[in-house]
Amino acid sequence: MPDLDPQRQATDALMLTGFWYRALPADRVQRNELYKATLLEIPLVLGRDRAGKAFALRDACPHRGMPLNCGHFDGRNLECGYHGWQFDVHNGQCQVIPSLTADQNLKVDRIYAGSYPCEERDGFLWVYIADPAPPGAGIAPPVAAPGPAPQIEKFSDKYKLAYLQAEMPVSVDHGIIGLMDPAHGPFVHQAWWWRSRHSIHEKQKNFEPIPNGFRMSAHTPSSNSAPYKLLRLYADADSITTTIDFVLPNLRSETIRAGKYWFSSLTTVTPITRTHCRIDVVAAWNLFRWVPFGPELLKFVFAKFVEQDRRTMEVQAEGLKHNPHLMLIDDADRPAKWYFQLKAAHQHAKRSRTEMKHPMSGPVTLKWRS
Ligand code: FES
Ligand SMILES: [Fe+2]
């Protein structure tokens, strides 16, 4: 049953630990160089060793807090710029403390710089942010990630890959609910080649619970969106299906399949700080491989959209400074409600060490105009 009253909802801007997050596009990270990144307010230094293998360390020396990105990296060990302590970049273990004399037997190998599991996947370096150690635990060996970093679903061996990103001056919550919000389309994403606000019409979509998230079930997509129009140029329209999943903490994956052609994307909204997030869209596809302008066109369409969202959220951030509450209405904001409920259920399960109780009890049909 839809709620008849709009629901007041305060975003908590809580950044979930115990998950993989995208840190940097892989093509920007060269061997033997150091790069800064921030995830969940944690300062990181990233890079690649001589063999090209990526790593991520906390950007603070365990000795006296010097940012390690200011140090020297020889492709294997990272030497802090202050007193020359050296750390293995892959596990953070201290190798050398230059000030020690031969008879001083401080156990150097028991000292660690904070180190994070780091994996390269679909053109990005991902970093696993573990749950914080109990207070007073000190510097310890790195925690292993419970599973591999998320990846884009692909349906053939050959495909193209492209990414684009945008920073938004809003919390991760606003970034995410902005991404799943169907009602802003006609107002924010107007363009002559896409749609106008007059093309607004009633829609009905089926949703179902999936582990840690929800799915907009496979369906033939609505007629008023550009990729689908393009797809119809050379695929049988009846065979087009699209599925959109949202999974905690921040993953939105979309797949479109039309016969042997497919398009797949994984969009993430990454908490940088409590008040800033970054959207990364990575798309893989085997569509348009024979059309010379295909990928550029696709990137143009996506870039335009993301830029429209970014500009909107920049303005929204002004308003959010003065009113921390929002109003969520049925059905258009129901996915946003599920997001907050999923987040709360996840937190509750973690605190109480119980199985997470999914907020959706079964499939739901939502209706809105957009
Ligand atoms: S602060 Fe890094 S070695 Fe002293
Ligand atoms: Fe949008």
Side-chain angles (χ1 to χ4, degrees), residues 35-341:
Y35 301 84
K36 288 202 290 180
T38 305
L39 292 178
L40 287 72
E41 297 191 334
I42 301 169
L44 299 172
V45 54
L46 288 98
R48 288 180 194 281
D49 65 15
R50 272 176 217 166
K53 190 170 185 289
F55 63 85
L57 296 172
R58 180 179 270 268
D59 194 14
C61 179
H63 181 215
R64 299 246 295 275
M66 186 77 170
L68 289 174
N69 80 79
C70 306
H72 174 74
F73 178 44
D74 64 4
R76 209 169 82 194
N77 289 338
L78 202 169
E79 181 185 85
C80 178
Y82 204 169
H83 312 95
W85 293 22
Q86 286 183 26
F87 305 94
D88 179 321
V89 290
H90 291 296
N91 60 11
Q93 191 175 41
C94 188
Q95 308 294 312
V96 178
I97 295 183
S99 66
L100 290 177
T101 60
D103 58 333
Q104 290 172 335
N105 55 2
L106 177 73
K107 298 226 167 27
V108 169
D109 57 357
R110 289 216 196 137
I111 297 171
Y112 283 88
S115 167
Y116 297 82
C118 182
E119 276 179 20
E120 189 164 345
R121 180 92 66 235
D122 297 327
F124 262 81
L125 301 191
W126 291 73
V127 173
Y128 180 75
I129 305 293
D131 293 326
I139 298 297
V143 197
Q151 58 176 308
I152 304 178
E153 217 184 336
K154 301 163 197 96
F155 305 93
S156 58
D157 294 340
K158 280 195 171 168
Y159 56 85
K160 294 216 153 121
L161 201 68
Y163 74 83
L164 59 99
Q165 50 182 199
E167 287 205 20
M168 323 260 184
V170 294
S171 74
V172 65
D173 288 343
H174 281 291
I176 285 174
I177 66 174
L179 198 70
M180 57 176 62
D181 159 29
H184 74 286
F187 304 94
V188 171
H189 301 302
Q190 292 175 36
W192 62 265
W193 42 267
W194 176 259
R195 57 173 302 163
S196 74
R197 58 191 295 169
H198 303 298
S199 69
I200 191 164
H201 65 271
E202 190 167 316
K203 286 173 190 163
Q204 182 168 319
K205 308 270 179 185
N206 300 318
F207 291 82
E208 59 187 289
I210 56 173
N212 265 336
F214 52 88
R215 165 169 299 166
M216 193 161 95
S217 321
H219 63 287
T220 301
S222 60
S223 52
N224 59 358
S225 53
Y228 306 135
K229 280 182 185 160
L230 289 172
L231 207 57
R232 285 220 183 94
L233 291 176
Y234 66 101
D236 174 13
D238 294 340
S239 74
I240 303 176
T241 58
T242 169
T243 309
I244 299 175
D245 285 358
F246 174 78
V247 173
L248 284 180
N250 66 347
L251 309 165
R252 178 196 192 270
S253 50
E254 177 166 10
T255 59
I256 304 168
R257 302 192 69 177
K260 62 178 178 168
Y261 298 112
W262 56 271
F263 170 90
S264 194
S265 67
L266 180 63
T267 301
T268 50
V269 183
T270 303
I272 305 300
T273 65
R274 255 161 222 287
T275 55
H276 276 78
C277 65
R278 194 191 63 236
I279 292 202
D280 297 303
V281 185
V282 182
W285 68 90
N286 76 342
L287 308 171
F288 310 119
R289 279 208 295 131
W290 46 271
V291 184
F293 58 86
E296 287 69 41
L297 184 68
L298 210 60
K299 199 156 173 167
F300 169 80
V301 171
F302 268 88
K304 195 104 185 166
F305 273 26
V306 171
E307 175 55 19
Q308 287 166 336
D309 283 327
R310 194 196 61 75
R311 235 183 302 129
T312 304
M313 287 186 199
E314 206 167 74
V315 178
Q316 185 192 13
E318 283 302 308
L320 290 173
K321 283 182 195 159
H322 311 290
N323 178 11
H325 281 86
L326 37 151
M327 199 181 272
L328 298 176
I329 65 160
D330 279 321
D331 285 351
D333 293 329
R334 190 84 74 85
K337 289 185 186 180
W338 289 332
Y339 165 67
F340 287 114
Q341 288 164 359

